[in-house]
Amino acid sequence: MPLKEINILGKHGKQFVPDLEMVELTPLFRGRPIIGTNITEEEKNKVISLCPVNAINNSPFCIDMGKCLFCNECHFALPEKINFTNDYKIATNDRSKLIIQAGQDIPIKINPDKIRKEIKSFFKHALKLRQVSAAGDNSTEMELNAAGNVNFDMGRFGIEFVASPRHADGIVITGPISQNMAEPLQICYDAIPEPKLIILAGTDAISSGIFAGSKALNRSFLDKYNIDLYVPGNPPHPLTFINGVLNLMKNKK
């Protein structure tokens, strides 16, 4: 390596994350929540009324990360009893694992029983994905772009976004899926050769977020197919997406 490049490397350090699976994010990052077991009924009702997307429910008391906007309002109201950890490994293929109950403090993992045989057979070493913004707000789309930049470089694992669905192994959906995007989404999915997987990235894609109940949405696509991976976050962190896909491909337990 020329001396000039060596001097630049010495001054600036490494410009990429060496180990994407062992990164420790700042405590300010809002990832997997932890709910205290001593929360009262009055406090439960207080935070339930605060949540703008009905992500907090009673019977049993829980926070649904598939709906959560990670706005932190519930923590502000009950700082001693509801906290968000900096655990970014919150992607899973089991929708029920995104629902965090009081006293639960365990990592969220892939359910190996829900991984389809085709994924285990074909996508262990490389995965090409076509991303469709189905009325997204560009926040999740920007984070997915960041997953492929020089800092995170998910391409080192053979995971890349491609321009054509005919070159893809699966589809990544962002946004709540509007009426106008329902047909283009279906056309894109149909153009991907079998076998193919579906990933929902972000709160809007998983539950439609703040748009839930809108007549402008058409989410019937999701009723027809198996969802292979849920990546929560508003928007999801690039490390959440990368580790979720890696765990799905490697079938880690």
Side-chain angles (χ1 to χ4, degrees):
M1 182 181 293
L3 182 60
K4 181 181 178 181
E5 280 72 19
I6 293 175
N7 288 334
I8 292 174
L9 183 62
K11 290 179 180 178
H12 293 275
K14 294 179 180 176
Q15 298 301 299
F16 64 98
V17 182
D19 189 345
L20 296 177
E21 298 176 88
M22 298 299 290
V23 178
E24 183 173 352
L25 293 180
T26 169
L28 296 176
F29 177 78
R30 294 192 287 273
R32 178 172 53 83
I34 296 178
I35 307 169
T37 55
N38 58 343
I39 189 167
T40 67
E41 287 299 321
E42 182 180 357
E43 290 170 334
K44 291 178 182 177
N45 292 330
K46 179 180 180 181
V47 292
I48 287 173
S49 65
L50 279 175
C51 184
V53 289
N54 299 318
I56 305 175
N57 294 293
N58 222 336
S59 308
F61 187 76
C62 60
I63 295 178
D64 185 348
M65 286 199 300
K67 296 181 178 179
C68 184
L69 300 178
F70 298 84
C71 64
N72 223 18
E73 287 298 324
C74 52
H75 167 70
F76 291 144
L78 302 174
E80 303 295 327
K81 298 182 179 180
I82 298 179
N83 289 284
F84 287 85
T85 70
N86 63 347
D87 182 4
Y88 55 86
K89 296 180 180 179
I90 52 179
T92 180
N93 59 345
D94 190 338
R95 180 68 177 84
S96 65
K97 290 184 180 295
L98 296 182
I99 299 174
I100 308 299
Q101 298 184 12
Q104 180 180 336
D105 186 11
I106 56 175
I108 296 172
K109 295 185 177 181
I110 295 289
N111 183 347
D113 297 330
K114 285 183 172 290
I115 301 177
R116 288 183 289 139
K117 291 180 180 178
E118 308 91 280
I119 294 177
K120 294 179 181 178
S121 303
F122 290 95
F123 306 135
K124 282 184 178 179
H125 304 295
L127 187 65
K128 307 302 177 186
L129 298 167
R130 178 69 170 93
Q131 190 253 317
V132 174
S133 178
D137 59 7
N138 283 339
S139 60
T140 299
E141 291 81 354
M142 290 177 65
E143 298 299 335
L144 293 181
N145 284 335
N149 68 19
V150 293
N151 296 108
F152 297 104
D153 187 23
M154 66 177 179
R156 75 182 85 170
F157 302 108
I159 309 169
E160 293 177 319
F161 289 109
V162 293
S164 171
R166 300 190 187 282
H167 301 158
D169 303 310
I171 192 170
V172 180
I173 303 171
T174 59
I177 311 179
S178 64
Q179 292 277 4
N180 288 341
M181 282 304 298
E183 184 178 359
L185 174 62
Q186 185 68 60
I187 293 172
C188 181
Y189 179 78
D190 292 342
I192 299 173
E194 296 282 357
K196 47 193 169 185
L197 50 80
I198 299 176
I199 298 173
L200 301 183
T203 298
D204 288 349
I206 296 174
S207 66
S208 64
I210 61 174
F211 305 102
S214 171
K215 294 180 180 178
L217 302 185
N218 181 354
R219 294 172 60 80
S220 58
F221 175 87
L222 302 179
D223 298 329
K224 294 185 284 186
Y225 305 106
N226 175 72
I227 305 302
D228 296 289
L229 187 66
Y230 300 91
V231 187
N234 188 48
H237 196 284
L239 290 172
T240 303
F241 180 79
I242 295 170
N243 279 276
V245 174
L246 283 176
N247 289 338
L248 184 68
M249 293 169 63
K250 295 177 181 177
N251 190 16
K252 286 184 175 180
K253 296 184 178 181

